[in-house]
Amino acid sequence: MTQDSRVRDRGVRARLAPLVLIVALFFLWGVANNLNDVLIPHLKKAFFLTDLQSGLVQSAFYLGYFFLALPAGLLMRRYGYKAAVIVGLVLFGAGALLFWPAAELRRYELFLGALFVIASGLAFLETSANPLITVLGDPARAEQRLNLAQAFNPLGAITAVVVGRQFILSGVEPTKAEFAAMTPDQLSAFQAAEAQSTQIPYLIIAAVVLTWALLVAFTRFPVQASRPDPEAAEHKADKPILGLFSRPRFLFGVAAQFFYVGAQVGVWSYMIRYGQDQAPGMGEKTAAAYLSWSLVGFMAGRFAGTALMSRIDPSRLMALFAAANVGLTLVAVAVGGHTGLLALAATSFFMSIMFPTIFASSLKGLGPLTKTGSSFLVMSIIGGAVLTAAMGALSDASSIRTAILVPCACFAVVGLFAVTARRREVTAHDAVLAGGH
Protein backbone atom coordinates (compact mmCIF):
# COMPACT_ATOMS: atom_id res chain seq x y z
CA MET A 1 0.00 0.00 0.00
CA THR A 2 1.41 3.40 -1.01
CA GLN A 3 1.77 6.38 1.29
CA ASP A 4 -0.98 8.23 -0.60
CA SER A 5 -3.44 5.34 -0.28
CA ARG A 6 -2.76 5.06 3.46
CA VAL A 7 -3.43 8.77 3.88
CA ARG A 8 -6.69 8.42 1.91
CA ASP A 9 -7.78 5.46 4.06
CA ARG A 10 -7.12 7.41 7.24
CA GLY A 11 -9.10 10.32 5.82
CA VAL A 12 -12.07 8.08 5.00
CA ARG A 13 -12.04 6.54 8.50
CA ALA A 14 -11.78 10.00 10.07
CA ARG A 15 -14.91 11.13 8.18
CA LEU A 16 -16.81 7.87 8.66
CA ALA A 17 -16.65 7.71 12.48
CA PRO A 18 -18.41 11.08 13.09
CA LEU A 19 -20.96 10.26 10.37
CA VAL A 20 -21.87 6.93 12.01
CA LEU A 21 -22.15 8.55 15.44
CA ILE A 22 -24.46 11.31 14.18
CA VAL A 23 -26.65 9.10 11.98
CA ALA A 24 -27.11 6.79 14.99
CA LEU A 25 -28.76 9.72 16.80
CA PHE A 26 -31.69 9.48 14.39
CA PHE A 27 -32.14 5.86 15.50
CA LEU A 28 -31.84 6.72 19.21
CA TRP A 29 -34.43 9.47 19.26
CA GLY A 30 -36.73 7.24 17.20
CA VAL A 31 -36.58 4.75 20.09
CA ALA A 32 -37.36 7.44 22.67
CA ASN A 33 -40.23 8.99 20.70
CA ASN A 34 -42.04 5.77 19.90
CA LEU A 35 -41.74 4.10 23.27
CA ASN A 36 -44.28 6.77 24.25
CA ASP A 37 -46.83 5.10 21.96
CA VAL A 38 -46.53 1.99 24.13
CA LEU A 39 -46.36 3.95 27.39
CA ILE A 40 -49.69 5.71 26.75
CA PRO A 41 -51.92 2.58 26.86
CA HIS A 42 -49.62 0.99 29.47
CA LEU A 43 -49.78 3.88 31.94
CA LYS A 44 -53.48 4.42 31.18
CA LYS A 45 -54.08 0.89 32.45
CA ALA A 46 -51.66 1.10 35.38
CA PHE A 47 -52.95 4.43 36.72
CA PHE A 48 -56.61 4.21 35.54
CA LEU A 49 -56.34 7.30 33.33
CA THR A 50 -58.75 8.92 30.87
CA ASP A 51 -57.66 9.42 27.23
CA LEU A 52 -56.87 13.06 28.00
CA GLN A 53 -54.77 12.15 31.06
CA SER A 54 -52.86 9.44 29.19
CA GLY A 55 -52.26 11.92 26.36
CA LEU A 56 -50.27 14.02 28.85
CA VAL A 57 -47.40 11.58 28.21
CA GLN A 58 -46.90 13.31 24.88
CA SER A 59 -47.64 16.75 26.33
CA ALA A 60 -44.87 16.42 28.92
CA PHE A 61 -42.54 14.99 26.31
CA TYR A 62 -43.00 17.65 23.66
CA LEU A 63 -42.95 20.51 26.15
CA GLY A 64 -39.31 19.51 26.66
CA TYR A 65 -38.70 20.18 22.97
CA PHE A 66 -40.46 23.53 23.16
CA PHE A 67 -38.61 24.91 26.17
CA LEU A 68 -35.13 23.59 25.34
CA ALA A 69 -34.92 24.00 21.56
CA LEU A 70 -34.02 27.69 21.66
CA PRO A 71 -31.37 27.26 24.40
CA ALA A 72 -30.00 24.39 22.31
CA GLY A 73 -29.70 26.72 19.32
CA LEU A 74 -27.94 29.37 21.40
CA LEU A 75 -25.47 26.81 22.77
CA MET A 76 -24.90 25.48 19.27
CA ARG A 77 -24.15 28.96 17.92
CA ARG A 78 -21.67 29.60 20.73
CA TYR A 79 -19.94 26.20 21.01
CA GLY A 80 -20.79 24.31 17.81
CA TYR A 81 -22.83 21.25 16.83
CA LYS A 82 -20.72 18.71 18.71
CA ALA A 83 -21.21 20.39 22.10
CA ALA A 84 -24.98 20.43 21.58
CA VAL A 85 -24.94 16.70 20.75
CA ILE A 86 -23.04 15.83 23.95
CA VAL A 87 -25.35 17.91 26.17
CA GLY A 88 -28.36 16.32 24.50
CA LEU A 89 -27.13 12.78 25.08
CA VAL A 90 -26.38 13.46 28.76
CA LEU A 91 -29.89 14.85 29.33
CA PHE A 92 -31.42 11.94 27.39
CA GLY A 93 -29.57 9.43 29.57
CA ALA A 94 -30.48 11.25 32.79
CA GLY A 95 -34.17 11.22 31.91
CA ALA A 96 -34.08 7.49 31.16
CA LEU A 97 -32.47 6.85 34.57
CA LEU A 98 -35.35 8.73 36.26
CA PHE A 99 -37.76 5.96 35.20
CA TRP A 100 -36.36 3.78 37.98
CA PRO A 101 -37.45 5.99 40.94
CA ALA A 102 -40.70 6.90 39.14
CA ALA A 103 -41.62 3.20 38.93
CA GLU A 104 -40.54 2.49 42.52
CA LEU A 105 -42.67 5.34 43.87
CA ARG A 106 -45.52 4.66 41.42
CA ARG A 107 -46.14 8.34 40.73
CA TYR A 108 -47.53 9.25 37.32
CA GLU A 109 -46.21 12.82 37.57
CA LEU A 110 -42.67 11.48 38.05
CA PHE A 111 -42.99 9.51 34.81
CA LEU A 112 -44.05 12.75 33.12
CA GLY A 113 -41.04 14.54 34.62
CA ALA A 114 -38.66 11.85 33.36
CA LEU A 115 -40.14 12.15 29.87
CA PHE A 116 -39.69 15.93 29.99
CA VAL A 117 -35.98 15.49 30.76
CA ILE A 118 -35.57 12.95 27.93
CA ALA A 119 -37.25 15.32 25.48
CA SER A 120 -35.04 18.19 26.67
CA GLY A 121 -32.06 16.12 25.59
CA LEU A 122 -33.69 15.26 22.28
CA ALA A 123 -34.27 18.98 21.65
CA PHE A 124 -30.48 19.44 21.68
CA LEU A 125 -29.96 16.40 19.45
CA GLU A 126 -32.54 17.31 16.82
CA THR A 127 -31.60 20.99 16.79
CA SER A 128 -27.99 20.07 16.01
CA ALA A 129 -28.21 16.92 13.87
CA ASN A 130 -30.87 18.02 11.38
CA PRO A 131 -29.20 21.26 10.18
CA LEU A 132 -25.79 19.59 10.23
CA ILE A 133 -27.04 17.11 7.64
CA THR A 134 -28.53 19.88 5.48
CA VAL A 135 -25.33 21.93 5.29
CA LEU A 136 -23.03 19.01 4.47
CA GLY A 137 -23.28 18.91 0.71
CA ASP A 138 -25.14 20.36 -2.24
CA PRO A 139 -27.99 22.67 -1.03
CA ALA A 140 -30.14 21.51 -3.94
CA ARG A 141 -30.13 17.98 -2.48
CA ALA A 142 -30.67 18.98 1.14
CA GLU A 143 -34.16 17.44 1.37
CA GLN A 144 -32.99 14.18 -0.18
CA ARG A 145 -29.93 13.97 2.06
CA LEU A 146 -31.93 14.65 5.23
CA ASN A 147 -34.59 12.11 4.22
CA LEU A 148 -31.86 9.49 3.83
CA ALA A 149 -30.42 10.24 7.28
CA GLN A 150 -33.93 10.28 8.75
CA ALA A 151 -34.53 6.80 7.31
CA PHE A 152 -32.75 5.46 10.39
CA ASN A 153 -35.35 7.14 12.62
CA PRO A 154 -38.20 4.71 11.80
CA LEU A 155 -35.82 1.81 12.40
CA GLY A 156 -35.52 3.11 15.97
CA ALA A 157 -39.29 3.56 16.09
CA ILE A 158 -39.91 -0.05 15.07
CA THR A 159 -37.34 -1.25 17.61
CA ALA A 160 -39.11 0.77 20.32
CA VAL A 161 -42.54 -0.71 19.65
CA VAL A 162 -41.18 -4.26 19.42
CA VAL A 163 -39.27 -3.83 22.71
CA GLY A 164 -42.22 -2.14 24.36
CA ARG A 165 -44.65 -4.79 23.20
CA GLN A 166 -42.36 -7.56 24.45
CA PHE A 167 -41.03 -6.15 27.71
CA ILE A 168 -43.37 -3.33 28.85
CA LEU A 169 -46.88 -4.40 27.83
CA SER A 170 -47.81 -7.29 30.11
CA GLY A 171 -50.85 -8.52 28.18
CA VAL A 172 -52.70 -8.63 31.53
CA GLU A 173 -55.91 -6.67 30.95
CA PRO A 174 -58.44 -7.14 33.77
CA THR A 175 -62.03 -6.17 33.08
CA LYS A 176 -63.85 -3.57 35.21
CA ALA A 177 -65.53 -6.40 37.11
CA GLU A 178 -62.18 -8.08 37.79
CA PHE A 179 -60.70 -4.81 39.02
CA ALA A 180 -63.70 -4.32 41.31
CA ALA A 181 -63.19 -7.80 42.76
CA MET A 182 -59.51 -7.18 43.64
CA THR A 183 -58.47 -6.59 47.25
CA PRO A 184 -56.41 -3.45 47.97
CA ASP A 185 -53.26 -5.61 48.17
CA GLN A 186 -53.99 -7.29 44.84
CA LEU A 187 -54.64 -3.94 43.18
CA SER A 188 -51.41 -2.51 44.61
CA ALA A 189 -49.44 -5.54 43.39
CA PHE A 190 -50.94 -5.18 39.89
CA GLN A 191 -50.01 -1.49 39.70
CA ALA A 192 -46.50 -2.15 41.03
CA ALA A 193 -45.86 -4.83 38.41
CA GLU A 194 -47.14 -2.61 35.59
CA ALA A 195 -45.04 0.38 36.69
CA GLN A 196 -41.85 -1.63 37.25
CA SER A 197 -41.96 -3.24 33.81
CA THR A 198 -40.60 0.06 32.46
CA GLN A 199 -37.45 0.03 34.59
CA ILE A 200 -35.11 -2.39 32.78
CA PRO A 201 -35.81 -1.14 29.22
CA TYR A 202 -35.12 2.47 30.23
CA LEU A 203 -32.05 1.50 32.27
CA ILE A 204 -30.60 -0.17 29.16
CA ILE A 205 -31.43 2.92 27.08
CA ALA A 206 -29.63 5.12 29.62
CA ALA A 207 -26.50 2.94 29.47
CA VAL A 208 -26.41 3.03 25.65
CA VAL A 209 -27.03 6.77 25.41
CA LEU A 210 -24.44 7.75 28.01
CA THR A 211 -21.88 5.48 26.34
CA TRP A 212 -22.65 7.22 23.04
CA ALA A 213 -22.02 10.59 24.70
CA LEU A 214 -18.51 9.42 25.64
CA LEU A 215 -17.86 8.18 22.09
CA VAL A 216 -18.91 11.52 20.62
CA ALA A 217 -16.80 13.42 23.16
CA PHE A 218 -13.61 11.49 22.30
CA THR A 219 -14.10 11.38 18.51
CA ARG A 220 -12.57 14.05 16.30
CA PHE A 221 -15.24 15.77 14.20
CA PRO A 222 -14.91 17.93 11.07
CA VAL A 223 -14.29 21.61 11.70
CA GLN A 224 -17.84 22.65 10.73
CA ALA A 225 -19.25 20.34 13.42
CA SER A 226 -17.14 21.72 16.27
CA ARG A 227 -16.56 25.39 15.58
CA PRO A 228 -18.88 28.07 16.99
CA ASP A 229 -20.81 30.51 14.84
CA PRO A 230 -18.29 33.28 14.09
CA GLU A 231 -21.06 35.86 14.53
CA ALA A 232 -22.25 34.49 17.89
CA ALA A 233 -19.88 36.53 20.02
CA GLU A 234 -20.55 39.86 18.32
CA HIS A 235 -24.30 39.67 17.68
CA LYS A 236 -27.10 39.73 20.20
CA ALA A 237 -29.29 36.63 20.39
CA ASP A 238 -32.40 38.58 19.34
CA LYS A 239 -30.99 39.66 15.95
CA PRO A 240 -31.32 36.29 14.20
CA ILE A 241 -34.72 35.78 15.85
CA LEU A 242 -36.03 39.11 14.54
CA GLY A 243 -34.58 38.33 11.13
CA LEU A 244 -36.64 35.13 10.91
CA PHE A 245 -39.92 37.02 11.36
CA SER A 246 -39.40 38.66 7.98
CA ARG A 247 -39.33 35.25 6.24
CA PRO A 248 -42.94 34.19 5.47
CA ARG A 249 -41.89 30.88 3.92
CA PHE A 250 -39.97 29.98 7.07
CA LEU A 251 -42.85 30.99 9.34
CA PHE A 252 -45.30 28.87 7.35
CA GLY A 253 -42.77 26.03 7.62
CA VAL A 254 -42.79 26.32 11.41
CA ALA A 255 -46.61 26.20 11.41
CA ALA A 256 -46.61 23.21 9.02
CA GLN A 257 -44.14 21.38 11.25
CA PHE A 258 -46.35 22.07 14.29
CA PHE A 259 -49.35 20.48 12.57
CA TYR A 260 -47.37 17.63 11.02
CA VAL A 261 -45.86 16.52 14.34
CA GLY A 262 -49.27 16.82 15.97
CA ALA A 263 -50.70 14.52 13.31
CA GLN A 264 -47.88 11.98 13.52
CA VAL A 265 -47.80 11.81 17.30
CA GLY A 266 -51.59 11.73 17.54
CA VAL A 267 -52.00 8.88 15.05
CA TRP A 268 -49.29 6.74 16.64
CA SER A 269 -50.27 7.54 20.22
CA TYR A 270 -53.89 6.47 19.76
CA MET A 271 -53.51 3.68 17.21
CA ILE A 272 -53.54 0.99 19.91
CA ARG A 273 -56.52 2.70 21.55
CA TYR A 274 -58.31 2.96 18.17
CA GLY A 275 -57.70 -0.72 17.41
CA GLN A 276 -59.05 -1.88 20.77
CA ASP A 277 -62.12 0.34 20.36
CA GLN A 278 -62.89 -0.52 16.74
CA ALA A 279 -62.10 -4.25 16.92
CA PRO A 280 -63.80 -5.56 20.08
CA GLY A 281 -61.73 -8.22 21.80
CA MET A 282 -58.43 -7.04 20.30
CA GLY A 283 -55.74 -7.16 23.00
CA GLU A 284 -53.11 -4.50 23.57
CA LYS A 285 -50.33 -6.68 22.15
CA THR A 286 -52.28 -7.39 18.96
CA ALA A 287 -53.07 -3.69 18.55
CA ALA A 288 -49.38 -2.90 19.11
CA ALA A 289 -48.53 -5.25 16.23
CA TYR A 290 -50.56 -3.01 13.91
CA LEU A 291 -48.51 -0.07 15.14
CA SER A 292 -45.30 -2.02 14.49
CA TRP A 293 -46.30 -2.76 10.89
CA SER A 294 -47.37 0.85 10.46
CA LEU A 295 -43.86 1.93 11.42
CA VAL A 296 -42.40 -0.56 8.93
CA GLY A 297 -44.49 1.26 6.34
CA PHE A 298 -43.10 4.55 7.61
CA MET A 299 -39.54 3.31 7.07
CA ALA A 300 -40.39 1.94 3.62
CA GLY A 301 -42.00 5.26 2.72
CA ARG A 302 -38.89 7.16 3.71
CA PHE A 303 -36.62 5.07 1.48
CA ALA A 304 -39.17 5.15 -1.35
CA GLY A 305 -39.69 8.88 -0.93
CA THR A 306 -35.95 9.55 -0.95
CA ALA A 307 -35.64 7.62 -4.21
CA LEU A 308 -38.64 9.40 -5.78
CA MET A 309 -37.14 12.80 -4.97
CA SER A 310 -34.51 12.24 -7.63
CA ARG A 311 -37.38 12.40 -10.18
CA ILE A 312 -40.14 14.39 -8.47
CA ASP A 313 -39.79 17.76 -6.77
CA PRO A 314 -39.84 17.17 -2.96
CA SER A 315 -42.59 19.76 -2.33
CA ARG A 316 -44.81 18.29 -5.05
CA LEU A 317 -44.28 14.77 -3.67
CA MET A 318 -45.16 15.95 -0.16
CA ALA A 319 -48.36 17.56 -1.48
CA LEU A 320 -49.41 14.23 -3.02
CA PHE A 321 -48.59 12.34 0.17
CA ALA A 322 -50.54 14.84 2.29
CA ALA A 323 -53.60 14.46 0.06
CA ALA A 324 -53.38 10.67 0.43
CA ASN A 325 -53.36 11.00 4.22
CA VAL A 326 -56.36 13.33 4.27
CA GLY A 327 -58.25 10.59 2.43
CA LEU A 328 -57.01 7.77 4.68
CA THR A 329 -57.89 9.59 7.91
CA LEU A 330 -61.36 10.32 6.58
CA VAL A 331 -61.78 6.56 5.99
CA ALA A 332 -60.71 5.95 9.62
CA VAL A 333 -63.36 8.45 10.79
CA ALA A 334 -66.23 7.46 8.49
CA VAL A 335 -65.78 3.68 8.13
CA GLY A 336 -64.02 2.50 11.31
CA GLY A 337 -63.58 -1.16 12.17
CA HIS A 338 -60.65 -3.15 10.76
CA THR A 339 -60.86 -1.09 7.54
CA GLY A 340 -60.44 2.12 9.51
CA LEU A 341 -57.53 0.63 11.47
CA LEU A 342 -55.76 -0.42 8.28
CA ALA A 343 -56.33 3.04 6.78
CA LEU A 344 -54.92 4.66 9.91
CA ALA A 345 -51.89 2.36 9.81
CA ALA A 346 -51.35 3.17 6.12
CA THR A 347 -50.94 6.90 6.87
CA SER A 348 -47.45 6.16 8.19
CA PHE A 349 -46.14 5.39 4.69
CA PHE A 350 -47.20 8.82 3.47
CA MET A 351 -46.09 10.64 6.64
CA SER A 352 -42.56 9.37 6.12
CA ILE A 353 -41.11 12.24 4.09
CA MET A 354 -42.96 15.12 5.77
CA PHE A 355 -40.78 16.07 8.74
CA PRO A 356 -37.42 16.22 6.95
CA THR A 357 -38.91 17.79 3.82
CA ILE A 358 -40.63 20.56 5.79
CA PHE A 359 -37.43 21.03 7.81
CA ALA A 360 -35.09 21.32 4.84
CA SER A 361 -37.52 23.36 2.73
CA SER A 362 -38.06 25.86 5.56
CA LEU A 363 -34.30 26.38 6.07
CA LYS A 364 -33.59 27.08 2.40
CA GLY A 365 -31.94 30.44 1.87
CA LEU A 366 -31.63 31.33 5.56
CA GLY A 367 -27.81 31.52 5.48
CA PRO A 368 -26.52 32.70 8.91
CA LEU A 369 -30.05 32.35 10.32
CA THR A 370 -30.01 28.57 9.75
CA LYS A 371 -29.03 27.53 13.30
CA THR A 372 -31.61 29.75 14.99
CA GLY A 373 -34.20 28.72 12.39
CA SER A 374 -33.51 25.10 13.26
CA SER A 375 -34.32 25.87 16.90
CA PHE A 376 -37.73 27.26 15.98
CA LEU A 377 -38.50 24.25 13.79
CA VAL A 378 -37.67 21.95 16.69
CA MET A 379 -39.77 24.11 19.04
CA SER A 380 -42.71 23.58 16.68
CA ILE A 381 -42.62 19.91 17.69
CA ILE A 382 -44.81 21.08 20.60
CA GLY A 383 -47.62 20.29 18.18
CA GLY A 384 -47.24 16.75 19.49
CA ALA A 385 -48.14 18.00 22.98
CA VAL A 386 -51.00 20.29 22.05
CA LEU A 387 -52.76 18.26 19.39
CA THR A 388 -52.40 14.86 21.08
CA ALA A 389 -54.05 16.31 24.18
CA ALA A 390 -56.75 17.80 21.92
CA MET A 391 -57.36 14.36 20.43
CA GLY A 392 -57.66 12.88 23.92
CA ALA A 393 -60.18 15.54 24.97
CA LEU A 394 -62.22 15.03 21.78
CA SER A 395 -62.13 11.25 22.27
CA ASP A 396 -63.38 11.58 25.86
CA ALA A 397 -66.14 13.95 24.73
CA SER A 398 -67.17 11.99 21.62
CA SER A 399 -65.26 8.94 20.34
CA ILE A 400 -61.79 7.89 19.24
CA ARG A 401 -63.02 7.82 15.63
CA THR A 402 -64.09 11.46 15.83
CA ALA A 403 -60.71 12.37 17.31
CA ILE A 404 -59.01 11.30 14.05
CA LEU A 405 -60.43 14.49 12.49
CA VAL A 406 -57.59 16.34 14.25
CA PRO A 407 -54.75 14.69 12.25
CA CYS A 408 -56.93 14.90 9.13
CA ALA A 409 -56.98 18.70 9.41
CA CYS A 410 -53.24 18.70 10.16
CA PHE A 411 -52.43 16.84 6.95
CA ALA A 412 -54.46 19.42 5.03
CA VAL A 413 -52.22 22.19 6.43
CA VAL A 414 -49.09 20.24 5.41
CA GLY A 415 -50.47 19.88 1.90
CA LEU A 416 -51.11 23.63 1.69
CA PHE A 417 -47.53 24.36 2.79
CA ALA A 418 -46.19 21.95 0.17
CA VAL A 419 -48.21 23.62 -2.60
CA THR A 420 -47.18 27.16 -1.62
CA ALA A 421 -43.53 26.15 -1.13
CA ARG A 422 -43.50 24.65 -4.62
CA ARG A 423 -44.99 27.83 -6.09
CA ARG A 424 -42.32 29.98 -4.41
CA GLU A 425 -39.56 27.71 -5.71
CA VAL A 426 -40.91 27.93 -9.27
CA THR A 427 -41.26 31.72 -9.01
CA ALA A 428 -37.71 32.09 -7.67
CA HIS A 429 -36.38 29.83 -10.44
CA ASP A 430 -38.17 31.87 -13.12
CA ALA A 431 -36.80 35.10 -11.64
CA VAL A 432 -33.26 33.73 -11.82
CA LEU A 433 -33.73 32.72 -15.46
CA ALA A 434 -35.15 36.13 -16.31
CA GLY A 435 -32.11 37.76 -14.74
CA GLY A 436 -29.77 35.73 -16.90
CA HIS A 437 -28.18 33.78 -13.98
Side-chain angles (χ1 to χ4, degrees):
M1 181 179 290
T2 65
Q3 180 68 23
D4 287 345
S5 62
R6 283 196 292 268
V7 170
R8 282 196 301 270
D9 286 345
R10 284 198 296 269
V12 169
R13 286 196 297 269
R15 290 191 298 271
L16 184 59
L19 182 63
V20 170
L21 290 171
I22 297 303
V23 169
L25 300 180
F26 291 80
F27 174 87
L28 290 173
W29 76 61
V31 170
N33 276 275
N34 289 88
L35 267 177
N36 291 350
D37 303 325
V38 173
L39 283 177
I40 285 176
H42 181 72
L43 296 178
K44 175 182 172 68
K45 178 179 65 173
F47 292 99
F48 312 118
L49 307 174
T50 65
D51 283 338
L52 175 57
Q53 289 171 326
S54 64
L56 293 178
V57 163
Q58 299 292 24
S59 298
F61 192 79
Y62 288 100
L63 281 171
Y65 276 101
F66 181 77
F67 286 114
L68 272 296
L70 197 55
L74 295 174
L75 183 144
M76 186 169 57
R77 291 179 67 234
R78 181 59 63 95
Y79 299 106
Y81 293 109
K82 181 178 177 179
V85 168
I86 294 170
V87 171
L89 286 168
V90 170
L91 285 171
F92 184 177
L97 288 174
L98 289 175
F99 264 72
W100 193 276
E104 288 296 310
L105 296 171
R106 277 183 276 162
R107 300 288 296 273
Y108 182 52
E109 60 271 25
L110 293 182
F111 280 104
L112 299 182
L115 289 166
F116 179 87
V117 176
I118 288 175
S120 299
L122 300 189
F124 278 85
L125 296 182
E126 296 207 37
T127 302
S128 54
N130 282 294
L132 181 56
I133 294 292
T134 67
V135 301
L136 295 177
D138 180 3
R141 294 185 176 273
E143 291 99 333
Q144 188 175 12
R145 195 164 53 252
L146 186 53
N147 269 282
L148 184 60
Q150 286 266 5
F152 290 88
N153 180 260
L155 185 60
I158 294 166
T159 302
V161 176
V162 171
V163 168
R165 180 173 178 264
Q166 187 67 32
F167 298 105
I168 293 179
L169 295 178
S170 64
V172 179
E173 301 176 74
T175 63
K176 289 183 179 180
E178 289 171 333
F179 273 126
M182 288 183 183
T183 66
D185 286 343
Q186 289 173 327
L187 190 59
S188 179
F190 169 79
Q191 289 186 301
E194 294 295 309
Q196 289 169 2
S197 68
T198 64
Q199 289 178 314
I200 297 301
Y202 275 90
L203 190 62
I204 293 171
I205 289 171
V208 171
V209 167
L210 294 174
T211 300
W212 219 254
L214 289 173
L215 290 173
V216 172
F218 289 106
T219 299
R220 179 174 294 179
F221 274 65
V223 174
Q224 65 265 37
S226 302
R227 71 184 175 197
D229 187 334
E231 298 181 349
E234 57 189 67
H235 286 83
K236 293 182 179 179
D238 61 345
K239 285 194 174 182
I241 294 174
L242 293 174
L244 291 170
F245 282 96
S246 64
R247 308 284 183 125
R249 172 186 171 132
F250 170 76
L251 294 176
F252 195 2
V254 171
Q257 201 71 289
F258 174 92
F259 285 104
Y260 165 68
V261 175
Q264 182 204 77
V265 174
V267 167
W268 290 350
S269 295
Y270 290 112
M271 191 176 296
I272 295 175
R273 170 81 173 85
Y274 182 96
Q276 290 180 302
D277 181 78
Q278 292 298 298
M282 179 178 286
E284 60 184 7
K285 290 201 171 191
T286 302
Y290 278 86
L291 177 58
S292 298
W293 284 109
S294 179
L295 295 172
V296 171
F298 184 79
M299 182 169 65
R302 188 153 280 171
F303 282 110
T306 301
L308 286 169
M309 284 179 189
S310 62
R311 300 188 176 197
I312 303 174
D313 176 79
S315 295
R316 178 179 294 174
L317 186 64
M318 184 165 68
L320 294 172
F321 278 24
N325 271 356
V326 169
L328 288 168
T329 48
L330 287 175
V331 170
V333 173
V335 179
H338 273 98
T339 301
L341 179 58
L342 290 172
L344 197 62
T347 61
S348 292
F349 179 90
F350 299 102
M351 282 194 279
S352 57
I353 67 166
M354 292 181 183
F355 182 91
T357 304
I358 294 170
F359 204 102
S361 179
S362 302
L363 293 179
K364 272 189 174 178
L366 291 188
L369 302 177
T370 298
K371 289 181 179 178
T372 305
S374 174
S375 295
F376 276 91
L377 284 164
V378 172
M379 287 175 70
S380 70
I381 289 175
I382 196 176
V386 176
L387 297 172
T388 304
M391 285 183 69
L394 186 55
S395 177
D396 287 336
S398 180
S399 69
I400 191 64
R401 273 172 62 176
T402 305
I404 304 302
L405 287 172
V406 174
C408 179
C410 293
F411 289 128
V413 174
V414 172
L416 183 60
F417 170 75
V419 170
T420 56
R422 171 63 181 158
R423 285 175 181 167
R424 288 193 184 98
E425 287 163 5
V426 170
T427 301
H429 179 67
D430 291 345
V432 169
L433 291 178
H437 295 292

